[in-house]
Amino acid sequence: QVQLVESGGGSVQAGGSLRLSCVASRYPYTYGNICMAWFRQAPGKAREGVAAIASDGSARYADSVKGRFTISKDNAKTTLVLQMNSLEPEDTAMYYCAAYLSFAQCSGSFGNSFPYWGHGTQVTVSS
C-alpha cells in the first residue's frame, strides 16, 4: 500500500511563497513508475487538479496557477515538490498529493485514476 505524506503548508500573505513536499513510501518498485500530482480543494468547492508531472519531466498546470507554481520530482522519483510563488487568497485550500502506479510512463494528466492520496496540507493565503 503506497503511503503519501505531505508537508510544507501554512499561512502566508498574498504575494508570498510556500513549498509543498510529498514523500511516497511503501512503493512496490516492480511497477517501475509512481505517477504523482497535486490537487486542492477549497471549502465549498470541488477538488481540482493543480499540477501533474510526466516521466519526461514535462508538467501540466491548472490555468489559475500557470506561471506561479512549479512542480518537480526528485531523481529517486519518490518525492514530489510544489513551489508556489505569488500566492493569492484564491489559492487557499487543502492541498493533496495523489499517486498511481504504472508499468507505462507517467502521462502527467489529471484525468488518470489516482487510488493513493495523502491526508493533505492546509494552505491559507490572506489578503
Side-chain angles (χ1 to χ4, degrees):
Q1 182 76 6
V2 176
Q3 185 176 29
L4 303 173
V5 179
E6 303 102 331
S7 61
S11 297
V12 296
Q13 290 190 328
S17 299
L18 284 173
R19 183 180 177 91
L20 305 184
S21 294
C22 172
V23 178
S25 60
R26 302 180 183 177
Y27 160 38
Y29 292 99
T30 53
Y31 273 89
N33 294 295
I34 178 167
C35 304
M36 303 172 75
W38 288 100
F39 291 79
R40 68 184 181 186
Q41 187 166 21
K45 294 187 177 181
R47 185 173 63 199
E48 64 172 343
V50 176
I53 189 165
S55 292
D56 64 1
S58 61
R60 182 170 300 181
Y61 297 95
D63 288 342
S64 59
V65 308
K66 283 180 182 176
R68 300 187 297 119
F69 290 10
T70 302
I71 189 172
S72 61
K73 207 173 181 188
D74 71 340
N75 289 335
K77 300 181 181 180
T78 56
T79 299
L80 188 70
V81 174
L82 185 67
Q83 178 66 43
M84 306 186 295
N85 298 326
S86 302
L87 283 161
E88 303 170 352
E90 294 74 23
D91 296 317
T92 295
M94 185 71 79
Y95 283 70
Y96 297 93
C97 175
Y100 67 93
L101 301 175
S102 177
F103 292 108
Q105 297 292 295
C106 301
S107 65
S109 170
F110 300 126
N112 291 286
S113 175
F114 288 85
Y116 306 107
W117 292 81
H119 291 297
T121 185
Q122 178 68 38
V123 171
T124 303
V125 184
S126 58
S127 58

PDB file of all heavy atoms in Angstrom, residues 94-113:
ATOM      1  N   MET A  94      -7.061  23.046   0.918  1.00  0.00           N
ATOM      2  CA  MET A  94      -6.302  21.888   1.370  1.00  0.00           C
ATOM      3  C   MET A  94      -5.647  21.302   0.128  1.00  0.00           C
ATOM      4  O   MET A  94      -6.333  21.050  -0.863  1.00  0.00           O
ATOM      5  CB  MET A  94      -7.217  20.863   2.038  1.00  0.00           C
ATOM      6  CG  MET A  94      -6.476  19.682   2.635  1.00  0.00           C
ATOM      7  SD  MET A  94      -5.550  20.124   4.106  1.00  0.00           S
ATOM      8  CE  MET A  94      -6.874  20.145   5.305  1.00  0.00           C
ATOM      9  N   TYR A  95      -4.363  21.092   0.208  1.00  0.00           N
ATOM     10  CA  TYR A  95      -3.606  20.558  -0.922  1.00  0.00           C
ATOM     11  C   TYR A  95      -3.277  19.092  -0.678  1.00  0.00           C
ATOM     12  O   TYR A  95      -2.775  18.725   0.402  1.00  0.00           O
ATOM     13  CB  TYR A  95      -2.329  21.363  -1.129  1.00  0.00           C
ATOM     14  CG  TYR A  95      -2.571  22.691  -1.791  1.00  0.00           C
ATOM     15  CD1 TYR A  95      -3.221  23.717  -1.113  1.00  0.00           C
ATOM     16  CD2 TYR A  95      -2.186  22.931  -3.110  1.00  0.00           C
ATOM     17  CE1 TYR A  95      -3.482  24.939  -1.720  1.00  0.00           C
ATOM     18  CE2 TYR A  95      -2.438  24.153  -3.721  1.00  0.00           C
ATOM     19  CZ  TYR A  95      -3.084  25.140  -3.023  1.00  0.00           C
ATOM     20  OH  TYR A  95      -3.339  26.348  -3.638  1.00  0.00           O
ATOM     21  N   TYR A  96      -3.547  18.282  -1.682  1.00  0.00           N
ATOM     22  CA  TYR A  96      -3.344  16.838  -1.574  1.00  0.00           C
ATOM     23  C   TYR A  96      -2.361  16.346  -2.631  1.00  0.00           C
ATOM     24  O   TYR A  96      -2.414  16.771  -3.789  1.00  0.00           O
ATOM     25  CB  TYR A  96      -4.662  16.099  -1.772  1.00  0.00           C
ATOM     26  CG  TYR A  96      -5.710  16.402  -0.744  1.00  0.00           C
ATOM     27  CD1 TYR A  96      -6.645  17.405  -0.957  1.00  0.00           C
ATOM     28  CD2 TYR A  96      -5.780  15.668   0.436  1.00  0.00           C
ATOM     29  CE1 TYR A  96      -7.627  17.692  -0.016  1.00  0.00           C
ATOM     30  CE2 TYR A  96      -6.758  15.938   1.385  1.00  0.00           C
ATOM     31  CZ  TYR A  96      -7.669  16.957   1.151  1.00  0.00           C
ATOM     32  OH  TYR A  96      -8.637  17.227   2.092  1.00  0.00           O
ATOM     33  N   CYS A  97      -1.535  15.431  -2.213  1.00  0.00           N
ATOM     34  CA  CYS A  97      -0.672  14.695  -3.124  1.00  0.00           C
ATOM     35  C   CYS A  97      -1.399  13.397  -3.486  1.00  0.00           C
ATOM     36  O   CYS A  97      -2.023  12.763  -2.609  1.00  0.00           O
ATOM     37  CB  CYS A  97       0.637  14.390  -2.405  1.00  0.00           C
ATOM     38  SG  CYS A  97       1.800  13.368  -3.316  1.00  0.00           S
ATOM     39  N   ALA A  98      -1.349  13.026  -4.752  1.00  0.00           N
ATOM     40  CA  ALA A  98      -2.017  11.810  -5.209  1.00  0.00           C
ATOM     41  C   ALA A  98      -1.086  11.031  -6.122  1.00  0.00           C
ATOM     42  O   ALA A  98      -0.208  11.622  -6.772  1.00  0.00           O
ATOM     43  CB  ALA A  98      -3.310  12.160  -5.941  1.00  0.00           C
ATOM     44  N   ALA A  99      -1.309   9.726  -6.186  1.00  0.00           N
ATOM     45  CA  ALA A  99      -0.424   8.889  -6.988  1.00  0.00           C
ATOM     46  C   ALA A  99      -1.127   7.658  -7.532  1.00  0.00           C
ATOM     47  O   ALA A  99      -2.150   7.216  -6.987  1.00  0.00           O
ATOM     48  CB  ALA A  99       0.787   8.459  -6.155  1.00  0.00           C
ATOM     49  N   TYR A 100      -0.574   7.144  -8.611  1.00  0.00           N
ATOM     50  CA  TYR A 100      -0.973   5.835  -9.114  1.00  0.00           C
ATOM     51  C   TYR A 100       0.280   5.120  -9.593  1.00  0.00           C
ATOM     52  O   TYR A 100       1.286   5.766  -9.907  1.00  0.00           O
ATOM     53  CB  TYR A 100      -2.029   5.929 -10.216  1.00  0.00           C
ATOM     54  CG  TYR A 100      -1.564   6.557 -11.518  1.00  0.00           C
ATOM     55  CD1 TYR A 100      -1.080   5.781 -12.572  1.00  0.00           C
ATOM     56  CD2 TYR A 100      -1.657   7.937 -11.701  1.00  0.00           C
ATOM     57  CE1 TYR A 100      -0.685   6.360 -13.759  1.00  0.00           C
ATOM     58  CE2 TYR A 100      -1.259   8.527 -12.897  1.00  0.00           C
ATOM     59  CZ  TYR A 100      -0.784   7.737 -13.925  1.00  0.00           C
ATOM     60  OH  TYR A 100      -0.386   8.306 -15.106  1.00  0.00           O
ATOM     61  N   LEU A 101       0.217   3.823  -9.638  1.00  0.00           N
ATOM     62  CA  LEU A 101       1.356   3.021 -10.070  1.00  0.00           C
ATOM     63  C   LEU A 101       1.156   2.602 -11.518  1.00  0.00           C
ATOM     64  O   LEU A 101       0.027   2.331 -11.941  1.00  0.00           O
ATOM     65  CB  LEU A 101       1.506   1.792  -9.181  1.00  0.00           C
ATOM     66  CG  LEU A 101       1.707   2.079  -7.695  1.00  0.00           C
ATOM     67  CD1 LEU A 101       1.718   0.788  -6.891  1.00  0.00           C
ATOM     68  CD2 LEU A 101       2.986   2.869  -7.468  1.00  0.00           C
ATOM     69  N   SER A 102       2.246   2.560 -12.269  1.00  0.00           N
ATOM     70  CA  SER A 102       2.111   2.247 -13.682  1.00  0.00           C
ATOM     71  C   SER A 102       3.351   1.537 -14.213  1.00  0.00           C
ATOM     72  O   SER A 102       4.474   1.877 -13.847  1.00  0.00           O
ATOM     73  CB  SER A 102       1.879   3.539 -14.469  1.00  0.00           C
ATOM     74  OG  SER A 102       1.807   3.278 -15.857  1.00  0.00           O
ATOM     75  N   PHE A 103       3.098   0.550 -15.096  1.00  0.00           N
ATOM     76  CA  PHE A 103       4.206  -0.059 -15.819  1.00  0.00           C
ATOM     77  C   PHE A 103       4.624   0.847 -16.968  1.00  0.00           C
ATOM     78  O   PHE A 103       5.750   0.784 -17.442  1.00  0.00           O
ATOM     79  CB  PHE A 103       3.800  -1.436 -16.354  1.00  0.00           C
ATOM     80  CG  PHE A 103       3.585  -2.454 -15.270  1.00  0.00           C
ATOM     81  CD1 PHE A 103       2.318  -2.893 -14.945  1.00  0.00           C
ATOM     82  CD2 PHE A 103       4.666  -2.965 -14.575  1.00  0.00           C
ATOM     83  CE1 PHE A 103       2.127  -3.839 -13.949  1.00  0.00           C
ATOM     84  CE2 PHE A 103       4.486  -3.911 -13.571  1.00  0.00           C
ATOM     85  CZ  PHE A 103       3.210  -4.347 -13.264  1.00  0.00           C
ATOM     86  N   ALA A 104       3.721   1.690 -17.415  1.00  0.00           N
ATOM     87  CA  ALA A 104       3.990   2.618 -18.500  1.00  0.00           C
ATOM     88  C   ALA A 104       4.539   3.935 -17.939  1.00  0.00           C
ATOM     89  O   ALA A 104       4.516   4.164 -16.724  1.00  0.00           O
ATOM     90  CB  ALA A 104       2.714   2.881 -19.285  1.00  0.00           C
ATOM     91  N   GLN A 105       5.017   4.784 -18.845  1.00  0.00           N
ATOM     92  CA  GLN A 105       5.495   6.101 -18.431  1.00  0.00           C
ATOM     93  C   GLN A 105       4.336   6.941 -17.891  1.00  0.00           C
ATOM     94  O   GLN A 105       3.192   6.790 -18.301  1.00  0.00           O
ATOM     95  CB  GLN A 105       6.134   6.815 -19.619  1.00  0.00           C
ATOM     96  CG  GLN A 105       7.364   6.114 -20.177  1.00  0.00           C
ATOM     97  CD  GLN A 105       8.522   6.142 -19.207  1.00  0.00           C
ATOM     98  OE1 GLN A 105       9.044   7.199 -18.890  1.00  0.00           O
ATOM     99  NE2 GLN A 105       8.928   4.977 -18.727  1.00  0.00           N
ATOM    100  N   CYS A 106       4.645   7.843 -16.977  1.00  0.00           N
ATOM    101  CA  CYS A 106       3.622   8.717 -16.425  1.00  0.00           C
ATOM    102  C   CYS A 106       3.229   9.755 -17.476  1.00  0.00           C
ATOM    103  O   CYS A 106       4.087  10.373 -18.096  1.00  0.00           O
ATOM    104  CB  CYS A 106       4.145   9.424 -15.173  1.00  0.00           C
ATOM    105  SG  CYS A 106       4.665   8.299 -13.866  1.00  0.00           S
ATOM    106  N   SER A 107       1.922   9.955 -17.624  1.00  0.00           N
ATOM    107  CA  SER A 107       1.434  10.856 -18.672  1.00  0.00           C
ATOM    108  C   SER A 107       1.392  12.310 -18.243  1.00  0.00           C
ATOM    109  O   SER A 107       1.338  13.209 -19.069  1.00  0.00           O
ATOM    110  CB  SER A 107       0.031  10.425 -19.107  1.00  0.00           C
ATOM    111  OG  SER A 107      -0.870  10.580 -18.022  1.00  0.00           O
ATOM    112  N   GLY A 108       1.385  12.555 -16.921  1.00  0.00           N
ATOM    113  CA  GLY A 108       1.262  13.929 -16.465  1.00  0.00           C
ATOM    114  C   GLY A 108      -0.140  14.484 -16.621  1.00  0.00           C
ATOM    115  O   GLY A 108      -0.322  15.693 -16.773  1.00  0.00           O
ATOM    116  N   SER A 109      -1.115  13.612 -16.582  1.00  0.00           N
ATOM    117  CA  SER A 109      -2.506  14.030 -16.745  1.00  0.00           C
ATOM    118  C   SER A 109      -3.248  13.974 -15.418  1.00  0.00           C
ATOM    119  O   SER A 109      -3.002  13.101 -14.603  1.00  0.00           O
ATOM    120  CB  SER A 109      -3.203  13.124 -17.763  1.00  0.00           C
ATOM    121  OG  SER A 109      -4.588  13.360 -17.777  1.00  0.00           O
ATOM    122  N   PHE A 110      -4.203  14.908 -15.236  1.00  0.00           N
ATOM    123  CA  PHE A 110      -5.070  14.860 -14.058  1.00  0.00           C
ATOM    124  C   PHE A 110      -6.165  13.828 -14.231  1.00  0.00           C
ATOM    125  O   PHE A 110      -6.830  13.469 -13.282  1.00  0.00           O
ATOM    126  CB  PHE A 110      -5.743  16.225 -13.825  1.00  0.00           C
ATOM    127  CG  PHE A 110      -4.785  17.348 -13.593  1.00  0.00           C
ATOM    128  CD1 PHE A 110      -4.859  18.493 -14.363  1.00  0.00           C
ATOM    129  CD2 PHE A 110      -3.822  17.280 -12.595  1.00  0.00           C
ATOM    130  CE1 PHE A 110      -3.985  19.545 -14.151  1.00  0.00           C
ATOM    131  CE2 PHE A 110      -2.942  18.334 -12.389  1.00  0.00           C
ATOM    132  CZ  PHE A 110      -3.028  19.461 -13.171  1.00  0.00           C
ATOM    133  N   GLY A 111      -6.390  13.374 -15.461  1.00  0.00           N
ATOM    134  CA  GLY A 111      -7.540  12.533 -15.752  1.00  0.00           C
ATOM    135  C   GLY A 111      -7.366  11.067 -15.406  1.00  0.00           C
ATOM    136  O   GLY A 111      -8.316  10.303 -15.488  1.00  0.00           O
ATOM    137  N   ASN A 112      -6.150  10.679 -15.018  1.00  0.00           N
ATOM    138  CA  ASN A 112      -5.943   9.291 -14.621  1.00  0.00           C
ATOM    139  C   ASN A 112      -6.614   9.015 -13.275  1.00  0.00           C
ATOM    140  O   ASN A 112      -6.956   9.935 -12.544  1.00  0.00           O
ATOM    141  CB  ASN A 112      -4.448   9.011 -14.499  1.00  0.00           C
ATOM    142  CG  ASN A 112      -3.748   9.035 -15.834  1.00  0.00           C
ATOM    143  OD1 ASN A 112      -3.878   8.131 -16.626  1.00  0.00           O
ATOM    144  ND2 ASN A 112      -2.995  10.102 -16.084  1.00  0.00           N
ATOM    145  N   SER A 113      -6.782   7.770 -12.978  1.00  0.00           N
ATOM    146  CA  SER A 113      -7.334   7.371 -11.688  1.00  0.00           C
ATOM    147  C   SER A 113      -6.208   7.344 -10.668  1.00  0.00           C
ATOM    148  O   SER A 113      -5.205   6.646 -10.853  1.00  0.00           O
ATOM    149  CB  SER A 113      -7.978   5.988 -11.805  1.00  0.00           C
ATOM    150  OG  SER A 113      -8.416   5.540 -10.539  1.00  0.00           O
TER     151      SER A 113
END
